């Protein structure tokens, strides 16, 4: 519970930049103008048309069924509806489990989404929990990405497996798995390339990476997590489809949620992609990554 409390504190500090449904539910008559404002706010908050309609229809039924006349009484019901909607998706908010050695976590996403930073944040989180972690720099196209991961590795005190710029990403991952297996390392976190404009090559590369992992770790659980930039809003969904084509994604990490004016993106991601949100980035610092706890996030949106 202490953990949820601390997430709430962090979210409350960010709240100013989110859409303000709180005041709508603070009290007042439930009339047509209430429903119109709710609809407008949800759409503006990036919840998406279909889900907005679904939530409003359900909430109207609840209000009618329970004979609720004041908006403040409806708030808890609305939170419940949204939390239920999020939790319908298996794995929602579930942290990565370190089961076998090594547990492999592939971090994918377009350049600039926050991949490298997120890989480092995750590595730090698991190191703090007492696990041994290895980072792998499989974005071999950008010297800056390799360097950035090495800088993070130095800061956190973790080894980074890297090859030269232009090297084969699958070979980097192969080496990282070999090294982790030899040293009994718990986890390998892999930063990958994200040049979506060369979509075909990128997909081929990711398929090759997947084959290497499956061949080398056939029985081990591995995660493929897509880092999405929360600021991109609805535009982000196309990316998920593209990456899902090549890899079976096991979830989304929503980066830069602290910068997103549209907090409702959490609902849109869940609805449109049917993928669980596993972690959320709340800042640029190494500690600014939290497991996605649906209730804490939804309550913050409505506070
Ligand atoms: P990559 O190209 O996908 O590897 O993206 P980077 O990890 O280099 O991140 C791009 C920029 O986003 C950097 O300036 C990061 O500091 C920043 N960034 C990453 N995650 C977050 C986050 O959760 N919040 C904020 N505010 N910035 C972030």
């Amino acid at each position: 519970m202490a953990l949820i409390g601390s997430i709430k504190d962090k979210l409350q500090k960010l709240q100013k930049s989110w859409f303000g449904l709180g005041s709508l539910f603070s009290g007042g008559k439930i009339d047509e103008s209430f429903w119109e404002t709710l609809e407008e706010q949800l759409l503006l908050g990036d919840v998406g048309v279909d889900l907005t309609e679904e939530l409003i229809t359900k909430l109207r039924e609840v209000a009618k069924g329970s004979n609720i006349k004041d908006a403040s009484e409806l708030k808890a019901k609305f939170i419940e509806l949204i939390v239920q909607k999020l939790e319908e998706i298996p794995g929602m908010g579930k942290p990565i489990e370190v089961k076998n050695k090594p547990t492999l976590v592939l971090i994918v996403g377009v350049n600039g989404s926050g991949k490298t930073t997120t890989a480092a944040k995750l590595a730090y989180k698991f190191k703090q929990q007492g696990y041994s972690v290895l980072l792998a720099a499989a974005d071999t196209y950008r010297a800056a990405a390799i360097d950035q991961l090495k800088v993070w590795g130095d800061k956190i005190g973790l080894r980074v497996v890297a090859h030269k710029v232009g090297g084969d990403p699958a070979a980097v991952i192969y080496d990282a798995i070999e090294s982790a297996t030899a040293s009994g390392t718990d986890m390998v976190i892999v930063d990958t390339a994200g040049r979506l404009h060369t979509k075909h090559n990128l997909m081929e590369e990711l398929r090759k990476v997947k084959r290497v992992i499956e061949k080398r770790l056939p029985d081990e659980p591995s995660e493929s997590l897509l880092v999405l930039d929360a600021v991109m809003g609805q535009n982000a969904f196309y990316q998920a489809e593209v990456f899902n084509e090549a890899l079976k994604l096991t979830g989304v990490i929503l980066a830069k949620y602290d910068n997103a004016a549209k907090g409702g993106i959490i609902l849109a991601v869940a609805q449109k992609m049917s993928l669980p949100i596993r972690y959320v980035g709340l800042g640029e610092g190494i500690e600014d990554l939290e497991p996605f706890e649906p209730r804490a996030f939804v309550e913050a949106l409505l506070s």
Side-chain angles (χ1 to χ4, degrees), residues 110-117 121 142 148 255-259 281-284 288:
V110 296
N111 287 343
S113 59
K115 259 189 330 292
T116 309
T117 314
K121 286 177 180 175
R142 296 184 300 168
Q148 196 190 337
K256 309 186 199 177
Y257 196 57
D258 52 313
N259 283 342
L282 294 176
E284 290 188 272
D288 297 328

Side-chain angles (χ1 to χ4, degrees), residues 135-146:
L135 282 162
D139 181 352
T140 55
Y141 294 88
R142 296 184 300 168
I146 301 175

Side-chain angles (χ1 to χ4, degrees), residues 25 30 32 34-36 38-39 42 48-66 74 77-78 81 85:
F25 281 99
I30 301 174
E32 276 317 301
F34 168 85
W35 296 112
E36 271 167 30
L38 179 59
E39 181 177 28
L42 290 175
V49 178
D50 296 346
L51 187 54
T52 294
E53 217 168 273
E54 182 187 329
L55 287 173
I56 288 184
T57 306
K58 282 190 179 160
L59 197 63
R60 273 183 186 267
E61 282 166 16
V62 170
K64 208 172 160 197
S66 308
L74 209 49
K77 308 267 187 202
F78 190 51
L81 267 182
K85 190 78 209 160

Side-chain angles (χ1 to χ4, degrees), residues 102 134 159 172-184 188 216:
L134 188 65
R159 204 153 63 81
V172 176
I173 295 173
Y174 185 87
D175 277 2
I177 295 173
E178 289 297 298
S179 172
T181 308
S183 56
V188 176
R216 192 60 192 78

